[in-house]
Amino acid sequence: DTCQRWDSQTPNEHSRTPENYPDSGLEGNYCRNPDGSSWAWCYTTTGPRWDWCDVPECTLPDYTKCADGDQAEYRGNISVTVTGNTCQRWDSQTPNGHDRTPENYPNSGLEENYCRNPDGWSAAWCYTTNGPRWELCDIPHCD
């Protein structure tokens, strides 16, 4: 079946319009899920009033092994910098005092002494125990 445009009331009149659901991406005649149904769907131009859409499942990279972009999503256990320095624990203030703590950045995965990017830097990094105050880490890219 062909999907009906969300901004059209022909052949099916409906209330799920871009105006009524402005944050649901109701563009063109694309399959969407504006109302929290169990799957994406659309009104059809022929056949039943509406139908489920066959949308393939997406697979996300394993962020415990790799990261892309600014690496903010990285949650692996690399704990050495690009030059081989050991990372300082995020919950420690020794040898470097700092405010990038698990309490101040609760959604950044600041566990143990693992490389992370809690503050929007260009890549994952850490404070070091035996080198410069901080340094970038060498996190593999996912792609």
Side-chain angles (χ1 to χ4, degrees), residues 5-120:
R5 290 183 57 88
W6 293 100
D7 60 2
S8 173
Q9 295 294 317
T10 305
N12 299 294
E13 291 186 25
H14 61 91
S15 62
R16 287 160 183 89
T17 62
E19 295 76 28
N20 291 343
Y21 293 80
D23 298 323
S24 295
L26 300 181
E27 303 166 4
N29 67 338
Y30 300 123
C31 293
R32 295 290 187 256
N33 185 1
D35 54 6
S37 297
S38 58
W39 202 254
W41 60 277
C42 69
Y43 293 104
T44 63
T45 57
T46 60
R49 175 175 161 79
W50 66 272
D51 203 357
W52 300 111
C53 297
D54 186 20
V55 179
E57 298 251 359
C58 296
T59 56
L60 295 174
D62 181 351
Y63 293 128
T64 64
K65 294 181 171 55
C66 63
D68 292 320
D70 68 3
Q71 303 175 338
E73 72 279 4
Y74 177 68
R75 293 297 181 270
N77 61 3
I78 293 173
S79 59
V80 294
T81 67
V82 292
T83 64
N85 287 308
T86 300
C87 292
Q88 172 181 317
R89 289 183 60 92
W90 293 100
D91 60 0
S92 173
Q93 295 295 317
T94 305
N96 299 293
H98 61 90
D99 66 358
R100 286 3 180 244
T101 63
E103 295 75 27
N104 291 343
Y105 294 82
N107 299 318
S108 296
L110 301 182
E111 302 163 357
E112 305 287 334
N113 64 336
Y114 304 142
C115 297
R116 296 291 187 260
N117 184 4
D119 54 3

